[in-house]
Amino acid sequence: GENVEQHPSTLSVQEGDSAVIKCTYSDSASNYFPWYKQELGKRPQLIIDIRSNVGEKKDQRIAVTLNKTAKHFSLHITETQPEDSAVYFCAATKGGDKIIFGKGTRLHILP
Amino acid sequence: EAQVTQNPRYLITVTGKKLTVTCSQNMNHEYMSWYRQDPGLGLRQIYYSMNVEVTDKGDVPEGYKVSRKEKRNFPLILESPSPNQTSLYFCASSLDGLNTEAFFGQGTRLTVV
């Protein structure tokens, strides 16, 4: 079955700098890779997603890249702000099937 | 307002006492699922349902049951709760399960003593 590894588990960056979170997956049939943000005490919410027929997707300060050959995908946050502090989860699925999440990355934005 | 609603938000129970956590969505979504969230383990899928009367095991189904008699409701049943089921539980729904955004409920914090 699918397995998703997420790194790092904790990340601290200076406000204004960039943050990168990486995930690898094991099932080459997976074709949908969402990223969720969970603020303290809140529910997870989708921030960006990418499908396997696309290599990169961008939405303002957030971008996701996908390398199908290497089976890894990454979240990039530029010009980080205090409100970016949260736990971020990657996930992988092949549609109509289980959704497997990574263990999460706690991102701290330092003033 | 489009939403996924779970009840209760908080629950403390004793070992072996059957309980049900309800989940309801008003978005006419086909795919619904349950997750548990534990420190250091992220979100783990318990069960999912592609449509009415169709349910499948996720990664950690042991000790849980679900049913999908109506499209909008997907209750999680713990027939005989044990302390290792103490966790934060989330219900989620998505349009069709074919690679679309999951909308999460507000979570249920369950403690089994």
Side-chain angles (χ1 to χ4, degrees):
Chain A
E2 177 65 278
N3 183 48
V4 176
E5 299 280 343
Q6 181 172 348
H7 298 281
S9 57
T10 306
L11 178 62
S12 296
V13 301
Q14 214 70 37
E15 183 179 345
D17 287 350
S18 296
V20 180
I21 302 170
K22 299 181 179 182
C23 288
T24 60
Y25 61 100
S26 60
D27 188 348
S28 55
S30 289
N31 56 12
Y32 178 62
F33 308 92
W35 286 89
Y36 289 85
K37 175 184 180 182
Q38 186 179 29
E39 296 175 353
L40 191 62
K42 301 279 184 69
R43 71 193 78 186
Q45 290 189 294
L46 183 78
I47 53 171
I48 196 165
D49 57 13
I50 192 166
R51 291 172 174 76
S52 59
N53 58 346
V54 175
E56 185 174 357
K57 183 176 179 180
K58 190 172 181 180
D59 183 4
Q60 300 183 330
R61 296 185 298 109
I62 295 172
V64 57
T65 58
L66 172 65
N67 183 327
K68 284 192 297 181
T69 304
K71 289 190 279 189
H72 67 70
F73 56 113
S74 301
L75 177 71
H76 305 254
I77 306 175
T78 58
E79 301 171 12
T80 52
Q81 299 170 4
E83 54 265 36
D84 295 328
S85 290
V87 178
Y88 292 81
F89 293 99
C90 64
T93 184
K94 51 190 174 188
D97 198 9
K98 298 180 191 179
I99 301 173
I100 306 297
F101 281 81
K103 289 183 168 52
T105 296
R106 185 172 297 278
L107 176 63
H108 300 276
I109 305 301
L110 306 172
Chain B
E1 180 190 353
Q3 58 187 1
V4 179
T5 303
Q6 294 176 229
N7 280 296
R9 292 290 311 279
Y10 302 92
L11 179 59
I12 300 174
T13 191
V14 296
T15 298
K17 186 177 180 181
K18 181 179 178 180
L19 68 92
T20 299
V21 184
T22 63
C23 175
S24 181
Q25 52 94 4
N26 62 0
M27 295 172 279
N28 201 35
H29 284 172
E30 292 186 356
Y31 188 99
M32 296 185 74
S33 56
W34 277 102
Y35 299 87
R36 60 178 290 174
Q37 184 174 19
D38 302 289
L41 296 179
L43 291 158
R44 293 181 293 167
Q45 194 173 43
I46 302 169
Y47 268 95
Y48 63 99
S49 169
M50 284 290 292
N51 214 323
V52 175
E53 303 292 359
V54 179
T55 61
D56 282 290
K57 295 178 181 178
D59 250 15
V60 288
E62 295 77 20
Y64 304 94
K65 284 175 58 176
V66 293
S67 68
R68 188 91 182 272
K69 293 185 171 64
E70 305 164 286
K71 198 172 189 177
R72 64 183 292 126
N73 295 323
F74 192 46
L76 179 69
I77 302 154
L78 284 72
E79 295 263 357
S80 183
S82 62
N84 64 12
Q85 292 178 298
T86 292
S87 188
L88 177 60
Y89 291 86
F90 285 101
C91 178
S93 73
S94 57
L95 182 62
D96 55 16
L98 297 175
N99 306 336
T100 53
E101 176 180 1
F103 293 86
F104 285 81
Q106 66 274 55
T108 295
R109 186 164 292 282
L110 173 65
T111 302
V112 184
V113 299

